Amino acid sequence: MDIRRFKSFVVIVDTGSITRAADILHIAQPALSQQLAALEEHFGTKLLTRSQQGVVMTDAGAQVYRHAQIILRQMEQAHADVAAAGKHLAGRVSVGLTPFSSAATLSFELLAETRRRYPGIVLHLTESVGQTYSQMLMNNRLEIALIHGAGPMKGLRFEPLLREDFYLVAHQKFGIEAGDTPVPISALEPLPFLMPPAYNFVRRAVETAFARSRADLTVIGEVEVIRTLTRAVGSGLGATVMPKAVADRIVAEGAGPTICRSISPKIEETLSLCVSEYAPLSEPAIAVQALLRELTERLKQ
């Protein structure tokens, strides 16, 4: 089996188009189609279905994609291990840090500490609202992720690291006074809210809490970028409810006078370190995993 066929297959799937994949791989489209045909002949089944919208994996194709990611990563790691033999840890490690969580506040520290301690490791960080990290772990597009939830989920191993309390952040113009006592969720019903999209874990947790309190959550805007959310909340466009680490960041970086208050009933979620049950971690990934545990532990202090 020519390993280049696996790489070509992964690029086709990721781009959703044989034409775009050929451009990225710098090979002729007929040659790429021949590689795909050879791969399908090898496995004795169709791996992709073609339509006007592009290509989509079959069930068999999804399995080949998962294994191809493992094989390509192992080959990449093998090259790195040979190059670094007798020297230091080296290789590429892919990490997903769920946005709108304490995990997102660790991205710079993780990058800096990895560079300081393991200069041979190339860290690939993902912080995306629109991608499902659990699926990326199972497809081996990620090796490690810090995500909300404690499982269980077939094919993944969860290690709870931290419980996150959610806080209200609102401009003073909304009449929320500063204080140490929690604000009842019922008192938040009149406020306009800026939140992540409906499929985001934080959004679902807040919606669930409001529903249990029989209060309406009025969402006037959906925001996927922390910097934009910070500016919008600081200017008084709307309030938000976020995990404490994110709430503190919005207050610290915002321009306007904002109030940060805890909420009653309490909203809290578990932040877990998550890896695949099937794909063993490389030595560089194990080192980054230990570093993530260390940095997350600091958040408790």
Side-chain angles (χ1 to χ4, degrees):
M1 173 63 68
D2 187 342
I3 196 168
R4 288 176 298 180
R5 293 175 185 169
F6 282 130
K7 182 178 180 180
S8 297
F9 180 71
V10 167
V11 175
I12 292 171
V13 171
D14 287 347
T15 59
S17 165
I18 293 178
T19 302
R20 286 196 295 271
D23 289 339
I24 291 171
L25 295 167
H26 302 294
I27 62 176
Q29 184 175 333
L32 184 58
S33 296
Q34 287 177 3
Q35 287 190 28
L36 176 58
L39 201 60
E40 291 180 326
E41 182 180 357
H42 176 85
F43 287 105
T45 186
K46 281 285 184 184
L47 303 179
L48 299 174
T49 57
R50 299 161 181 79
S51 68
Q52 291 182 344
Q53 286 71 40
V55 295
V56 180
M57 289 184 291
T58 63
D59 290 343
Q63 293 302 315
V64 171
Y65 180 86
R66 182 171 69 86
H67 286 288
Q69 291 278 19
I70 295 174
I71 292 167
L72 291 171
R73 183 174 293 132
Q74 288 175 336
M75 286 297 296
E76 184 178 338
Q77 188 60 48
H79 284 292
D81 288 346
V82 170
K87 299 177 184 176
H88 48 70
L89 286 175
R92 180 178 178 274
V93 179
S94 55
V95 178
L97 300 174
T98 188
F100 301 110
S101 75
S102 297
T105 67
L106 298 177
S107 55
F108 174 75
E109 283 186 277
L110 180 62
L111 193 63
E113 280 298 303
T114 300
R115 179 62 183 166
R116 185 178 69 84
R117 301 187 194 186
Y118 311 108
I121 293 178
V122 176
L123 197 61
H124 177 88
L125 291 180
T126 297
E127 294 180 51
S128 173
V129 175
Q131 300 189 71
T132 305
Y133 287 177
S134 57
Q135 190 64 46
M136 293 176 73
L137 285 164
M138 287 188 279
N139 285 339
N140 298 291
R141 293 178 62 190
L142 287 177
E143 294 169 90
I144 306 167
L146 275 181
I147 63 176
H148 280 126
M153 187 178 296
K154 185 178 180 181
L156 299 178
R157 185 166 65 250
F158 286 79
E159 179 186 340
L161 297 182
L162 184 70
R163 293 289 290 177
E164 292 196 296
D165 291 339
F166 285 40
Y167 277 65
L168 167 75
V169 186
H171 194 279
Q172 286 182 356
K173 78 173 192 177
F174 291 119
I176 304 294
E177 297 181 355
D180 296 327
T181 58
V183 180
I185 287 179
S186 57
L188 306 181
E189 197 167 17
L191 299 185
F193 279 92
L194 298 164
M195 298 296 297
Y199 52 76
N200 178 263
F201 198 96
V202 168
R203 170 74 171 271
R204 295 201 304 268
V206 173
E207 287 180 337
T208 299
F210 269 67
R212 286 174 177 169
S213 296
R214 292 183 169 82
D216 291 329
L217 176 69
T218 303
V219 176
I220 63 164
E222 297 182 339
V223 184
E224 295 190 7
V225 181
I226 290 286
R227 182 174 295 178
T228 302
L229 181 64
T230 298
R231 290 186 63 186
V233 171
S235 68
L237 284 178
T240 193
V241 175
M242 287 284 143
K244 183 63 161 56
V246 180
D248 286 343
R249 177 179 170 183
I250 292 172
V251 172
E253 297 180 4
T258 50
I259 301 299
C260 184
R261 291 277 298 273
S262 59
I263 298 170
S264 178
K266 179 188 290 188
I267 307 175
E268 61 178 359
E269 292 294 342
T270 300
L271 191 67
S272 295
L273 192 152
C274 197
V275 298
S276 170
E277 284 188 335
Y278 305 125
L281 294 179
S282 63
E283 286 191 29
I286 291 172
V288 172
Q289 182 186 47
L291 184 52
L292 263 176
R293 290 194 188 100
E294 178 185 327
L295 293 177
T296 305
E297 189 65 28
R298 294 180 190 175
L299 294 176
K300 301 178 184 178
Q301 299 172 2

